Amino acid sequence: ADCKRPIMASGEQGPSPGSITAIQVLASYAPAELVLRHAADRHPAPPSAPEREDFEGAVGFVDVSGFTALSERLQKDFGNKGSEKLNQYINSYLTRLIDGVSHHGGDVIKFAGDALQVVWRERGGRTGTRGVGESGGGSGGGSGG
């Protein structure tokens, strides 16, 4: 059977259903802000060169308290099934946490076991995006430009 390809906002045909695009691969490794900016292009593609973006924001480091103790307790109580239970618990917890972060405009930028690094960007006063090596013209020690 023929699979219909979606029509993009630009009027062009989108990717075939089930195909993985470069932007989808980028989305699994990069912060949502970067992915959304590149996905909004007329011809979406991952960045072709390093970029730097200056912005005002806040960063949060979140670590699950008691993770090791919970892991040991589940192993003791359930044996090998304890690791499956731990996986279910941590996935459920992190899903709720990530949903909350996203709901409040945050972006998870890094996972490390039972820990997350999150950034909330100031949406109104963005300083700007430029390629690495380009002058920002600010007081950040650039070469001017």
Side-chain angles (χ1 to χ4, degrees), residues 28-106:
S28 65
Y29 297 103
E33 185 83 13
L34 176 76
V35 174
L36 292 173
R37 187 171 69 240
H38 286 275
D41 288 345
R42 179 173 164 83
H43 299 286
S48 58
E51 294 181 5
R52 181 182 121 193
E53 180 180 356
D54 297 332
F55 59 88
E56 297 289 324
V59 176
F61 300 94
V62 182
D63 185 69
V64 178
S65 178
F67 181 79
T68 301
L70 175 61
S71 174
E72 291 169 355
R73 179 62 189 222
L74 290 171
Q75 181 67 31
K76 180 181 173 190
D77 290 352
F78 298 98
N80 289 338
K81 295 281 186 190
S83 60
E84 292 175 26
K85 289 195 172 290
L86 179 64
N87 191 36
Q88 291 171 351
Y89 294 159
I90 200 73
N91 283 344
S92 175
Y93 179 78
L94 291 177
T95 296
R96 288 180 173 185
L97 186 61
I98 293 165
D99 288 348
V101 165
S102 296
H103 178 75
H104 292 284

